[in-house]
Amino acid sequence: MNKALLVMLFMVFYNGASSNGLGANVTTARPDVVNIGAIFTFDSVIGKIAKVAIALAIEDVNSDPEILKGTKLTLKMQNAKSSDFLGIIEALQFLENDTVAIIGPQFSATAHVISHIADELKVPLLSFAATDPTLSPTQFPFLVRTTRSDLFQMTAVADLVFYYEWRDVIAIYVNDDFGRNAIAALGDKLAEKRCKISYKVPLNPKATKDEITNALISVSSMESRILILHIYTSWGLQVLTEARNLMMMASGYVWIATDWFSTIIDTDPSLPFISTDDIQGVLTLKMHTPESELKKKFKSRWGNLTSARRVNGSSFGLNTYGLYAYDSVRHLAVALDSFFARGGNISFSNDSNLNELSGGKLNLDALNMFNGGSQLLQSILEVNTTGLTGPVKFNPDGNLINPAFEVINVIGTGTRTIGYWSNSSGFSLDPPEKPQRKLQSNGSSTGTERLYSVIWPGQTTQKPRGWVFPDNGRKLRIGVPNRVSYREFVGIKGTEFTGYCIEVFQAALNELPYGVPYKFVPFGDGKKNPENHELLHLIQIGEFDGVVGDITITTGRTKMVDFTQPYIESGLVVVAPIRKSNSSAWAFLRPFTPMMWGVTGIFFLVVGTVVWILERRTNEDFRGPPRKQFVTIIWFSFSTLFFSQKEKTGSTLGRFVLIIWLFVVLILNSSYIASLTSILTVEQLSSPVKGIESLATGGDPIGFLKGSFAENYLTDELNIHRSRLVPLNSPEEYEKALQDGPRAGGVAAVIDERAYMELFLSSRCGYSIVGQEFTKMGWGFAFPRDSPLAIDMSTAVLKLSEKGDLQKIHDKWLMKSACSAEGAKQAVDRLQIKSFWGLFLLSGIACFLALVLHVIRMVHKYYKRPDSDCESSQSRRLQSFVSFVNKREQEVKSRPKRMRTEKASSKIVHEDSSINVLDESV
């Protein structure tokens, strides 16, 4: 609202308003009396309880000297009579009488207008019933909501819908700020859970019986059966009564009423006895207020006070809005005490913005600005106390902390709390202020989000599925492609529909817990296969309610319709002509590739050479003339293939190398024998096309089924030029194109889905699938977007799979014939070096280590020999080392002994000579 609206309001403001003049009224000390006001509808379900609760709160505050330290609250109540206009006028009347705060207003629409006036004149509003989520403190800072925002209630409703696995709901609501803004919040919360409001039914705030009936008739023709009812307490029960008259309280319906319904039940406890049939099975929410000693005493006091009291001829009970109204007054009293303790004083002054409007008959100068309004507002927002509703404290967003709701089920002649919802922990069986129990339900993970069982409309405990087929008199139109080929999948003969896809669809329908009226409608002229894309488009425009057939699930198609769980896997494969590989005189060479043969032969020679080096100094079998030694190396190397080598290995290093090599030979020998056996005993088939890789890199033409998604996949994903693609229409055209081949105007291979190709190959033995399946896709039944039937059918398909029925249907229609069961197969891949490089690496490392250790030992022995000459040149030392290594081990060991004997003999001769010389001299 802007100031122009305020001026219009002032023009109807009554002319007898008293004037305070242009000066300001100031109270500098803690006053004896503080004026506050209250605006609500006295005769409403909420208002009649709030009136008593507010009066009791004023009495309790004024009788307790500890709260306001002797200051008394003077309350003046104004009856808005369910009129937003009267509510605004009454607010203006309060603001001319030095009112520091107003309890109310009750209705959100009134709050939207009065909040602008309160903001201008700095008078706080404490509303115990205005729940519109758009009444934010950012836009309306002087409106303090002392109850729960509908934002949290709608979050609870959305969680409830999600908890029971429903997707679509219908919202019936009052068409004003209270209803529209709450339902908008509900839509946002449902969207977060991938649910939605499929149909909205706004009702006039003063709806008549005929308007309600017409609205419900429109709802009854909708698909969803989940009805959210967010309306006023004054005529909410009339909606349920009319719904019962229209048979909308029967089994299959779900009614979720917001807290207006629980408020009526709390206010009139006899209601379940009076309107039993009208409200059976309804779920409703109720603002949760924790049990406390303070609350129990107040309830007892309320019962004593109202037991004999009558309002409009009926008794009334305490509802949650009465508790929040009581707490609003006490909250304000605590805030005023804090306000005075901080030195705040009550003073009013003229609003400078209204000065130019003074002097007329409207007496606008009677409206004064509360100078301490901002300070009092701050004190209100900072209050931290405990009231009848539990902890009273505001979060930074201006909402009361710990929002929670009870979930109530109306059953029999009473109600039952089936659980609780809190903004922090979701659903639970216990109140949120208590420790949450842990439950295990049907094998699911342990958690606290649980509710007790519900008795739904129609006196059933089975959860309603939440939707029905719209226009129950009309059968679902299920489109079926009228194929020319592969009638094993879908066959149409007159009015008879047969085939694998048809039987799976019918079996899945039988798994549903409800009946589905339908009829098959053929699509296509029967002369050529219809385009699946066109068939799915008819679902989009509403021509078909579903499609059954060989429809592949692709990314693009999921943007058009919803698919069920795939009932058959069918990725793309390559089919090409094959030929038998006849045996030949050189078949024994086929198990290994040329590279494998070469590496194996080299390693035979390397191992033989290494063993010769390691053994020749100590083993006579490895010594002799060069020709003999060469023959020994060759013979020893290849004789290990049969473990028939006659030469014995004596050295430790030689045995180490040989044992590793014999292990490698064992693996090679076993693999060779297995591969050769397969080659000679099983018929081998070969094809020049090895798979999609070789086909894509070549230049030969490729066939595909006309209208299939394969065309776009090959061009977009594999970058195959469109000029290479040849559209084909039937298995007969497949066969002819493959027989002709690329040179005669045919194709090198055909790419199609595995399901088709397995049928094609079942009676044609000259072709085969080559390479691997290069896409992973499947077929599913198609339904309109967000159709709940798609979800139920997916569950049914999974049940068929788990019971084995899906496989039985597959075997019935798609069992392969004798041709594909002959056992023929593609040529076995020849054994390659990549399969054995680990073994060769192991043998090579063993040879290398053995040689290194042998050289180190030889060098050590060479330098330890007695006649080693450290002063010789490098070339002579190398020649000497080679000569040393080439000698037998025994020769090396015996030479030091001979040298010691010769030295001893020469010494004796030298001594004898010396003695003879001495004798001669003598």
Side-chain angles (χ1 to χ4, degrees):
M1 294 296 176
N2 52 30
K3 292 183 179 179
L5 176 60
L6 296 179
V7 172
M8 294 176 62
L9 294 173
F10 295 154
M11 292 178 66
V12 298
F13 187 64
Y14 83 107
N15 193 30
S18 60
S19 175
N20 291 331
L22 297 177
N25 299 329
V26 181
T27 302
T28 57
R30 185 183 284 258
D32 295 331
V33 175
V34 175
N35 296 326
I36 64 173
I39 304 173
F40 52 90
T41 300
F42 292 171
D43 61 351
S44 66
V45 174
I46 294 175
K48 64 184 180 181
I49 303 302
K51 184 177 180 181
V52 178
I54 291 173
L56 290 176
I58 293 294
E59 179 183 334
D60 292 346
V61 169
N62 289 337
S63 62
D64 187 351
E66 297 298 324
I67 298 179
L68 282 174
K69 310 299 189 294
T71 299
K72 303 296 183 181
L73 293 180
T74 298
L75 172 69
K76 184 176 180 181
M77 298 186 187
Q78 294 281 13
N79 186 4
K81 299 180 181 181
S82 300
S83 170
D84 295 333
F85 176 76
L86 287 179
I88 297 168
I89 297 302
E90 289 160 358
L92 293 172
Q93 289 178 332
F94 282 135
L95 296 176
E96 68 166 353
N97 294 322
D98 295 348
T99 301
V100 299
I102 298 175
I103 305 298
Q106 176 182 339
F107 297 104
S108 297
T110 308
H112 273 279
V113 179
I114 296 180
S115 295
H116 288 283
I117 303 173
D119 292 347
E120 182 68 24
L121 301 180
K122 310 302 182 185
V123 177
L125 302 176
L126 286 78
S127 178
F128 59 88
T131 57
D132 181 357
T134 63
L135 290 171
S136 66
T138 303
Q139 185 178 5
F140 307 109
F142 276 82
L143 175 66
V144 180
R145 195 198 324 263
T146 56
T147 187
R148 302 298 182 186
S149 169
D150 274 343
L151 175 65
F152 301 110
Q153 181 170 208
M154 293 306 158
T155 303
V157 172
D159 285 351
L160 197 62
V161 172
F162 183 74
Y163 179 83
Y164 287 111
E165 299 177 340
W166 298 314
R167 294 183 62 184
D168 294 351
V169 303
I170 295 176
I172 304 174
Y173 59 97
V174 60
N175 192 15
D176 63 3
D177 292 338
F178 164 76
R180 287 191 300 269
N181 296 331
I183 294 304
L186 174 62
D188 293 340
K189 293 301 179 181
L190 287 172
E192 292 176 3
K193 301 180 180 300
R194 302 190 68 181
C195 304
K196 68 175 183 177
I197 300 174
S198 59
Y199 188 59
K200 294 182 179 181
V201 186
L203 293 174
N204 190 297
K206 296 181 180 180
T208 64
K209 179 181 177 181
D210 290 341
E211 290 175 340
I212 294 173
T213 301
N214 292 334
L216 291 178
I217 290 175
S218 67
V219 168
S220 65
S221 64
M222 296 295 106
E223 183 177 281
S224 177
R225 284 294 183 262
I226 312 301
L227 308 178
I228 310 299
L229 201 55
H230 185 62
I231 51 182
Y232 287 134
T233 56
S234 56
W235 47 273
L237 291 178
Q238 189 176 357
V239 175
L240 296 177
T241 300
E242 295 304 318
R244 181 180 65 83
N245 295 336
L246 294 172
M247 306 298 293
M248 295 177 66
M249 298 300 295
S251 178
Y253 281 91
V254 175
W255 289 86
I256 301 176
T258 52
D259 64 346
W260 66 267
F261 189 46
S262 62
T263 300
I264 294 177
I265 294 175
D266 287 342
T267 306
D268 187 2
S270 64
L271 177 64
F273 295 91
I274 301 172
S275 306
T276 300
D277 295 335
D278 295 350
I279 62 177
Q280 284 298 302
V282 174
L283 291 181
T284 184
L285 297 179
K286 175 183 176 180
M287 288 182 287
H288 174 65
T289 56
E291 294 297 328
S292 63
E293 198 64 32
L294 184 64
K295 181 180 175 181
K296 290 180 181 178
K297 291 180 179 179
F298 186 79
K299 281 185 174 182
S300 177
R301 178 185 175 192
W302 183 274
N304 296 332
L305 178 65
T306 62
S307 58
R309 186 168 181 168
R310 297 271 174 180
V311 176
N312 293 333
S314 62
S315 61
F316 60 103
L318 179 63
N319 57 46
T320 52
Y321 285 101
L323 298 176
Y324 280 109
Y326 180 93
D327 278 353
S328 297
V329 176
R330 291 188 62 92
H331 190 146
L332 176 59
V334 173
L336 282 170
D337 181 64
S338 174
F339 170 75
F340 292 136
R342 295 178 178 180
N345 59 76
I346 298 177
S347 63
F348 295 86
S349 61
N350 296 115
D351 185 355
S352 59
N353 294 326
L354 299 177
N355 289 339
E356 60 186 27
L357 301 176
S358 63
K361 295 182 180 181
L362 296 178
N363 294 320
L364 297 180
D365 53 354
L367 298 177
N368 296 319
M369 180 185 296
F370 179 27
N371 296 328
S374 297
Q375 187 177 355
L376 177 59
L377 175 65
Q378 188 64 28
S379 297
I380 292 173
L381 296 176
E382 292 177 355
V383 166
N384 185 2
T385 185
T386 300
L388 299 180
T389 58
V392 180
K393 183 181 179 181
F394 293 98
N395 61 23
D397 295 331
N399 293 308
L400 290 173
I401 62 172
N402 303 329
F405 288 85
E406 299 176 23
V407 185
I408 298 174
N409 183 206
V410 180
I411 55 175
T413 57
T415 62
R416 173 174 176 249
T417 299
I418 63 170
Y420 299 84
W421 177 90
S422 70
N423 193 46
S424 58
S425 59
F427 291 117
S428 63
L429 296 175
D430 298 315
E433 66 270 12
K434 290 185 179 181
Q436 301 300 308
R437 71 182 80 177
K438 299 291 182 179
L439 293 180
Q440 190 76 18
S441 174
N442 298 328
S444 62
S445 59
T446 301
T448 57
E449 285 199 353
R450 298 290 182 269
L451 296 173
Y452 288 114
S453 60
V454 177
I455 296 179
W456 305 99
Q459 298 294 317
T460 178
T461 57
Q462 182 178 2
K463 185 196 76 172
R465 72 174 185 264
W467 63 275
V468 295
F469 296 104
D471 301 326
N472 291 330
R474 184 177 73 85
K475 294 182 178 180
L476 293 182
R477 291 171 54 85
I478 306 298
V480 179
N482 190 4
R483 295 191 57 87
V484 178
S485 58
Y486 299 118
R487 293 183 176 271
E488 293 87 348
F489 294 108
V490 178
I492 301 177
K493 296 181 180 178
T495 59
E496 184 181 1
F497 295 80
T498 60
Y500 170 75
C501 300
I502 299 296
E503 188 164 338
V504 171
F505 177 75
Q506 293 172 334
L509 288 180
N510 293 334
E511 293 292 330
L512 299 180
Y514 50 88
V516 178
Y518 71 94
K519 65 176 181 180
F520 289 128
V521 180
F523 176 74
D525 56 10
K527 299 179 180 179
K528 62 178 182 178
N529 292 325
E531 296 279 350
N532 287 337
H533 186 83
E534 296 179 6
L535 190 57
L536 296 178
H537 178 66
L538 293 179
I539 296 180
Q540 283 187 302
I541 64 177
E543 182 70 20
F544 288 147
D545 299 305
V547 167
V548 173
D550 48 344
I551 310 298
T552 306
I553 303 172
T554 64
T555 303
R557 292 173 180 176
T558 56
K559 298 176 181 178
M560 301 171 60
V561 296
D562 278 354
F563 284 97
T564 63
Q565 180 79 12
Y567 57 86
I568 185 174
E569 293 184 358
S570 185
L572 291 176
V573 295
V574 178
V575 172
I578 54 175
R579 65 176 185 272
K580 295 181 180 180
S581 298
N582 298 322
S583 182
S584 66
W586 303 100
F588 68 91
L589 294 176
R590 288 170 58 187
F592 287 169
T593 61
M595 175 64 73
M596 182 67 181
W597 279 118
V599 172
T600 303
I602 291 173
F603 261 84
F604 271 111
L605 297 176
V606 169
V607 171
T609 301
V610 170
V611 173
W612 172 75
I613 293 173
L614 298 175
E615 292 290 327
R616 67 183 307 276
R617 298 186 76 246
T618 59
N619 194 334
E620 291 297 329
D621 292 337
F622 291 89
R623 298 190 66 84
R627 181 178 178 181
K628 178 186 177 183
Q629 293 185 44
F630 177 76
V631 172
T632 299
I633 292 174
I634 300 299
W635 168 255
F636 180 83
S637 299
F638 289 97
S639 63
T640 56
L641 179 62
F642 310 101
F643 306 99
S644 60
Q645 65 279 6
K646 66 178 182 179
E647 294 80 6
K648 305 297 181 182
T649 53
S651 66
T652 302
L653 293 178
R655 292 175 178 176
F656 169 70
V657 171
L658 188 60
I659 194 66
I660 298 295
W661 175 244
L662 291 178
F663 172 74
V664 175
V665 169
L666 175 64
I667 301 300
L668 293 175
N669 196 17
S670 300
S671 302
Y672 175 85
I673 293 173
S675 181
L676 183 61
T677 302
S678 177
I679 291 173
L680 297 179
T681 58
V682 179
E683 183 182 29
Q684 301 297 304
L685 306 174
S686 63
S687 171
V689 179
K690 301 303 180 183
I692 187 62
E693 293 83 4
S694 63
L695 195 62
T697 56
D700 293 332
I702 303 170
F704 69 94
L705 181 63
K706 186 177 182 180
S708 169
F709 73 96
E711 180 181 10
N712 291 332
Y713 182 87
L714 295 175
T715 56
D716 297 341
E717 301 296 331
L718 301 182
N719 297 320
I720 297 177
H721 198 274
R722 198 174 296 271
S723 61
R724 294 180 55 195
L725 302 182
V726 180
L728 305 171
N729 293 300
S730 65
E732 291 73 21
E733 291 188 16
Y734 282 6
E735 186 174 16
K736 184 179 184 305
L738 290 171
Q739 285 179 347
D740 293 343
R743 296 181 180 178
V747 297
V750 170
I751 293 179
D752 206 344
E753 297 181 69
R754 176 178 287 276
Y756 296 138
M757 291 294 94
E758 288 179 348
L759 275 180
F760 174 80
L761 297 174
S762 63
S763 58
R764 297 171 176 83
C765 302
Y767 313 96
S768 179
I769 295 175
V770 295
Q772 300 296 320
E773 183 177 339
F774 57 92
T775 64
K776 293 293 182 182
M777 296 180 179
W779 295 355
F781 305 124
F783 294 95
R785 296 278 293 177
D786 300 323
S787 171
L789 186 58
I791 299 176
D792 291 350
M793 286 292 285
S794 292
T795 304
V797 169
L798 290 176
K799 289 181 180 179
L800 291 176
S801 178
E802 292 171 355
K803 295 192 302 182
D805 292 345
L806 205 58
Q807 186 61 41
K808 292 178 183 178
I809 299 174
H810 179 277
D811 295 342
K812 174 183 175 181
W813 290 97
L814 309 178
M815 179 64 71
K816 299 176 182 179
S817 64
C819 179
S820 59
E822 289 179 351
K825 63 174 184 176
Q826 286 290 315
V828 177
D829 289 337
R830 307 176 77 178
L831 299 177
Q832 300 180 15
I833 188 65
K834 64 180 181 180
S835 301
F836 300 94
W837 71 267
L839 291 173
F840 289 123
L841 178 63
L842 179 65
S843 180
I845 292 174
C847 293
F848 177 75
L849 289 177
L851 287 175
V852 170
L853 293 175
H854 180 70
V855 170
I856 292 174
R857 189 175 65 176
M858 289 297 98
V859 171
H860 176 73
K861 287 185 177 182
Y862 174 75
Y863 283 105
K864 297 294 287 185
R865 60 191 177 87
D867 59 341
S868 60
D869 187 4
C870 297
E871 301 299 330
S872 60
S873 65
Q874 184 175 357
S875 58
R876 293 190 58 187
R877 191 183 306 129
L878 180 60
Q879 293 176 1
S880 175
F881 176 74
V882 172
S883 176
F884 173 78
V885 172
N886 193 41
K887 291 181 180 179
R888 292 185 176 88
E889 185 73 18
Q890 293 180 351
E891 293 180 3
V892 175
K893 291 181 179 180
S894 62
R895 183 175 181 181
K897 293 181 180 180
R898 291 197 304 269
M899 292 180 64
R900 285 196 298 270
T901 303
E902 291 175 356
K903 287 182 179 180
S905 299
S906 62
K907 182 177 180 180
I908 293 172
V909 172
H910 177 73
E911 290 178 351
D912 290 342
S913 300
S914 301
I915 294 173
N916 292 334
V917 171
L918 289 173
D919 290 341
E920 290 177 358
S921 62
V922 173

